[in-house]
Amino acid sequence: MLITGAVLERCGAPAPYTESRPVTVGPLELDPPGGGEVLVRIEAAGLCHSDLSVVDGNRARPVPMLLGHEAAGVVEATGPGARLGVGQRVVMTFLPRCGECAQCATDGRLPCAVGSAANAAGTLVGGGRRLSRAVSGADGVQEVHHHLGVSAFATHAVVSETSVVPVDDDVPPDVAALLGCAVLTGGGAVVNAGRPAPGDRVAVVGLGGVGMAALLVAVALGHEVVGVDAVPAKLDLARELGATLALGPQEAADQELRAPVVIEAAGSARAFETAYALTAPGGTTVTVGLPHPDARASISPLSLTAEARTVVGSYLGSAVPSRDIPRYVELWRDGRLPLERLVSDRITLDDLPAALDRLASGAALRQLVMF
């Protein structure tokens, strides 16, 4: 079938992206779903820093690639052996899980080996690609890579059933989309990796979409929460969403603030150092950000031993999506997790270059492409 999607033509293009234009919007051919796969009509897709990391070259991926990995939509067709029914609303997650490898047996702590390999290759977990487009040349057809098994910046997507989690129709598309990355990653950093005890203070360094989701989940669970960011508007929103304190990085350092659990969600070495410095003796620093592979941070090894510290890396919030997404849905239904507040802009595919610039500047929280 013919679809419309946003394709990254090259990694490492310079900002501003409204001028360099590394992303083009145009027609693509989408093959029907294969075994264990579903065709999803996309309703909403979030623009995440992981998309920007591919565009700016921090996380190099094969191109051309149809971007987008955080989304929700409705199943329109199923391939052989698929269990989901037509008409089912689903949350799309960016790490498919085969359920059979050794990593899948770690209760979310390690990413699936099979899914990770497919993501790196730009294929679906079942192998191969379902996207192509017409080009000038000998054969006139060019394969297009999938982004993290989802490729949601398009009107439709074919994905493995292991990349989706069904939700009820009362969960609106804009809320459902956020569950697939921002909430799984940020909330999971708190619940699965940080595991604060009742009454523990939780600090969150970096209040983008993932960090603010971590803040919301920690507040929903009854913790005193401190938000740390360099952008004043984000600190204001953190206070509105229930943060006891909202401080700039230097303010937090000057006040000698400490917390038993500190989440780093900014994706920079400096933010990691800030998060580590804010962690109390005996506490846990959880890092979910994705800085450049060459980035290096400096911490005191002595403090790890003398203060019995723990540093935890958490990919996708150490989540098992089929287990965790229903938990967040219930918190949202109970009115304790106002995920709608994470949405800073609703845009179209044609608005993506400007949206990437807003994200790179730190001005945006979560921008949703609405279909």
Side-chain angles (χ1 to χ4, degrees):
M1 67 181 293
L2 195 64
I3 66 170
T4 300
V7 175
L8 177 66
E9 305 292 350
R10 62 191 188 281
C11 292
Y17 301 111
T18 49
E19 296 180 7
S20 60
R21 294 282 174 176
V23 177
T24 61
V25 176
L28 299 101
E29 187 67 32
L30 181 64
D31 293 340
E37 296 174 353
V38 293
L39 170 68
V40 179
R41 174 175 56 82
I42 305 298
E43 297 178 293
L47 177 61
C48 172
H49 206 278
S50 294
D51 298 299
L52 177 61
S53 294
V54 178
V55 174
D56 66 18
N58 276 354
R59 303 276 291 179
R61 298 284 183 183
V63 292
M65 173 174 279
L66 178 54
L67 290 175
H69 66 278
E70 175 189 80
V74 174
V75 175
E76 287 200 336
T78 62
R83 296 181 302 276
L84 290 172
V86 172
Q88 173 70 60
R89 176 165 289 150
V90 292
V91 174
M92 306 170 85
T93 68
F94 67 82
L95 179 65
R97 285 194 171 275
C98 71
E100 299 176 358
C101 68
Q103 287 88 324
C104 279
T106 64
D107 198 34
R109 188 174 66 85
L110 293 177
C112 170
V114 177
S116 296
N119 285 355
T123 66
L124 295 187
V125 71
R129 300 168 185 83
R130 310 292 179 266
L131 293 161
S132 61
R133 63 182 177 181
V135 294
S136 58
D139 48 14
V141 177
Q142 179 185 46
E143 277 195 320
V144 175
H145 299 279
H146 297 271
H147 186 211
L148 302 178
V150 177
S151 290
F153 289 162
T155 52
H156 294 77
V158 165
V159 299
S160 166
E161 275 196 322
T162 63
S163 292
V164 300
V165 175
V167 293
D168 291 336
D169 289 342
D170 69 316
V171 184
D174 52 354
V175 169
L178 298 172
L179 294 169
C181 176
V183 180
L184 273 184
T185 303
V190 177
V191 175
N192 299 321
R195 299 186 177 184
D200 275 355
R201 169 189 279 177
V202 176
V204 181
V205 178
L207 299 176
V210 169
M212 205 68 84
L215 183 149
L216 279 176
V217 169
V219 169
L221 297 177
H223 295 282
E224 176 191 352
V225 183
V226 178
V228 179
D229 201 284
V231 179
K234 291 182 177 178
L235 298 179
D236 291 339
L237 180 58
R239 295 185 191 98
E240 292 179 21
L241 296 179
T244 306
L245 290 172
L247 307 168
Q250 191 58 53
E251 288 180 290
D254 291 345
Q255 293 187 24
E256 298 184 350
L257 181 76
R258 297 292 182 270
V261 174
V262 182
I263 312 299
E264 181 278 309
S268 77
R270 186 173 181 181
F272 174 79
E273 291 172 347
T274 296
Y276 187 80
L278 297 180
T279 306
T284 300
T285 309
V286 180
T287 177
V288 299
L290 295 173
H292 190 279
D294 295 335
R296 295 292 181 269
S298 177
I299 63 173
S300 165
L302 175 62
S303 63
L304 282 170
T305 303
E307 298 181 359
R309 303 274 206 97
T310 302
V311 177
V312 177
S314 178
Y315 188 72
L316 187 59
S318 309
V320 177
S322 60
R323 175 198 67 197
D324 294 348
I325 285 176
R327 295 176 179 177
Y328 299 128
V329 168
E330 287 308 309
L331 287 173
W332 171 79
R333 282 200 184 106
D334 291 343
R336 298 163 59 191
L337 196 62
L339 298 178
E340 297 89 345
R341 299 295 303 277
L342 294 179
V343 181
S344 54
D345 298 277
R346 289 174 170 81
I347 62 173
T348 68
L349 285 177
D350 291 328
D351 298 325
L352 277 172
L356 286 165
D357 286 333
R358 284 192 294 271
L359 182 59
S361 73
L365 201 56
R366 233 358 168 237
Q367 302 173 90
L368 287 183
V369 180
M370 304 300 297
F371 294 89

